Amino acid sequence: MNKTIIKLVMTILMFGLMKIDFVSSTTVDELKKLIENATIEANTYEFPTDARKFEAKDDKIIELGSYDFVIIGGGVAGSVIASRLSEIRRWNVLVLEAGKVEESEFNEMLGYTAFLALSDLSWGFSSVPQTTACLGFLNQTCRAYRARGMGGTSLMNGAVYERGMPSTFDEWAEITNDPSWSYKHVLPLFKRSEDFHLRNPNTPVERKYHGTGGPLNVEQKVPQDFVASLFLQGHRELGSDIVDYNGHTQLGASIFQLYTRNGRRQNVYEAFLRPVSQRRNLNILTKSYVTKININKKTKTAKGVMFTRNGQTYYVRANMEVILTAGVFQTPQILMLSGIGPRKHLREIGIDVIEDLEVGSRLKEDPLCQALYITTNMTKPVETLEEQLRDYLRGVGTLTQAYSTSGVAFQRSQFEEQNYADIEFIAASLDKSDFDVAYAGWKNEIYQAAWGDNTNAIAINVHNVNPRSSGTVRLRSASPFDFPLIDFNMMSDPEGHDMEVLFEGVSRVFDLMQTPAFRSINPQYKGSPLPGCENHQFLSKAYWFCFLRQTCTAANHVRGSCPMGSNPNQGAIVDSRLKVFGVRKLRVADSSVMPTSMSGHPTATIIMIAEKAANTIKSDYHHMHPFH
Ligand SMILES: Cc1cc2nc3c(=O)[nH]c(=O)nc-3n(C[C@H](O)[C@H](O)[C@H](O)COP(=O)(O)OP(=O)(O)OC[C@H]3O[C@@H](n4cnc5c(N)ncnc54)[C@H](O)[C@@H]3O)c2cc1C
Ligand SMILES: *[C@@H]1O[C@H](CO)[C@@H](O)[C@H](O)[C@H]1NC(C)=O
Ligand SMILES: *[C@@H]1O[C@H](CO)[C@@H](O)[C@H](O)[C@H]1NC(C)=O
Ligand SMILES: *[C@@H]1O[C@H](CO)[C@@H](O)[C@H](O)[C@H]1NC(C)=O
């Protein structure tokens, strides 16, 4: 056979193996049924208050033998690590995941992302009542959404692909005293995971920062919509650059890069692990809820993992290591349940202390302030659901992006001393909706006042993506079936820095409204004074401070509950090789380990951390199995 024929045959074979998205056999009617179903489910969803449904029926413990690596949590990080470690055929790898493998096509429709948070995919956490943020939400709590299932929270997130500022990683190298975390060294890991496809040439792309051929498809929404064009033009007029925010700098305006494939959600399990799930050395146990890591108290060595499944308790040993990737709330929860945590707290709860570390003491979350609704004289193009779905089946249009978002801009406030972006703006074209009230948990009177008399608007969300405030994750009790206590404590730093940054964000939204681009649609802020803020002169600085404390909630970019660093006496939980200080054969490798904010959306960076964890483990064992 000549080369062309071989190539042709290869192409045909490859196509056979690929999931063909363009020629979807699903019909508009089938999608409509899925939407109806999810709407009913979301409208009747009740938030669970604990994880008792995972409790065992008796005290019997079933021994399950041993694996070389036991990975706790098959989420974003867990899926990547399981995929990379099982490349070594002599290692056998077990993944324990509380949820299941998601099969519904509904999950792929990014336009309905918010519905997924009010479904059985959701863990259903909320923060404890807050005093400095989330005041306009039921019981003064912020929702703390996380998904359960293979792929973890990538099953219900916005699929925004964003890496943060390059200098972030140089700072991580300094904090950990390990140059391998510097941007120069982690960039190849970002690129290795990526399969970048240019589908929308309206914003620049710096090719040398992007990878092709990796497991994760990255693309932009097609086509660009009116709000995105307006947003970009307004920023141009303010002197902002239009950038590839994953290129040499994040600072500027852009449209989102998404890890979707032809406009459909591609969760991280599907991208990294499903294609190799037939490997004989890889075992994935779903519906398995981990309750504890067994650690030998004398040798301080992780021995194995306890979990429940279908009402029974199991114990599995780890020959080489236990790798904890249960996410930013449950990773610290499991560590504390296993005796690793702040001594005083564990004693109060009644847990034997094995290693005294400040687990859960530096939780970081970004405040997301999303109630700046701007009324315009623009009539929204009318699209029927039929039309939207038909577009969707071709991989384009409204339903291929979450939360109706359009443009994005990363900026530096006057308070940012280094070169990080600390404010992120996101534009979204929104209608007033009861569903939004249920999703965010708004107090209805606050939501209604923020909208005023309007029914649709362009919202410009303001995030502080480099906040100084931090919060905690603690145990409610010694029971693994109680939810952890989550206290975001946002906008609480004593200097008031975070509030000033957000206020500057609000001012800049009003600057944007003054640009010729925005003036052409006659933008007006028509919110009414919020209940609780009437004492302040409407639209004064004091009013906006009050407004922000009412309307800012959690951006779901939580991180840092078990930060890496070089010194456990300064709050570090893991070293630069992601090993837990003072304990052998135990690593943490998910969003919990991020030592600083990374100015943006965390998933791409978590994937990089997981890639690096797998590389480190391979090099620690020289790819060798200890028993051969
Ligand atoms: C609504 C929403 C929107 C978001 N949008 C974006 C976005 O657009 N872009 C972006 O970059 N990021 C986004 N994020 C954040 C991003 O999804 C998370 O930061 C990321 O998924 C965290 O990865 P992880 O591996 O740390 O944890 P997860 O992906 O949450 O994985 C943890 C896994 O562990 C499992 N687990 C937990 N406890 C146990 C236990 N005891 N036993 C067994 N298994 C357990 C969980 O079920 C889960 O599967 C969003 C998050 C939310 C909630
Ligand atoms: C609708 O939802 C129910 C329960 O949530 C499920 O059992 C059923 O299979 C769903 N139907 C479709 C068409 O997805
Ligand atoms: C608010 O708190 C009350 C009392 O503590 C509780 O009964 C109620 O369920 C809570 N509501 C929500 C939405 O959390
Ligand atoms: C919207 O308002 C602007 C500014 O007042 C005006 O120039 C434009 O013609 C108006 N457009 C419509 C559709 O009314």
Side-chain angles (χ1 to χ4, degrees), residues 47 49 126-127 129 137-141 143 441:
F47 280 82
T49 51
S126 285
S127 74
F137 299 83
L138 296 175
N139 283 6
Q140 292 76 248
T141 62
R143 294 275 160 83

Side-chain angles (χ1 to χ4, degrees), residues 32 55 65 166 201 250 326 335 342 484 516 519 547 600 603 607 609 624:
K32 271 189 178 166
E55 246 170 354
Q250 190 187 22
L335 282 177
R519 278 215 306 266
F547 174 96
T603 305
I607 293 173
I609 291 170
M624 295 284 283

Side-chain angles (χ1 to χ4, degrees), residues 371-386:
L372 282 170
Y373 303 114
I374 297 167
T375 313
T376 72
N377 68 1
M378 186 181 87
T379 20
K380 259 200 194 176
V382 184
E383 272 181 324
T384 64
L385 180 59
E386 295 273 329

Side-chain angles (χ1 to χ4, degrees), residues 377 519-522:
N377 68 1
R519 278 215 306 266
S520 74
I521 53 163
N522 193 23

Side-chain angles (χ1 to χ4, degrees), residues 332-353 359 473-485:
Q333 181 189 23
I334 293 168
L335 282 177
M336 290 189 276
L337 289 168
S338 312
I340 302 170
R343 181 187 304 277
K344 188 163 166 278
H345 174 59
L346 294 190
R347 283 206 174 136
E348 277 165 12
I349 296 285
I351 290 175
D352 236 13
V353 182
V359 169
V473 181
R474 294 287 178 248
L475 296 178
R476 200 176 295 258
S477 78
S479 166
F481 306 103
D482 268 335
F483 277 174
L485 289 172

Side-chain angles (χ1 to χ4, degrees), residues 120 132 161 470 570 600 602:
D120 193 41
T132 49
Y161 183 82
S470 63
Q570 286 167 12

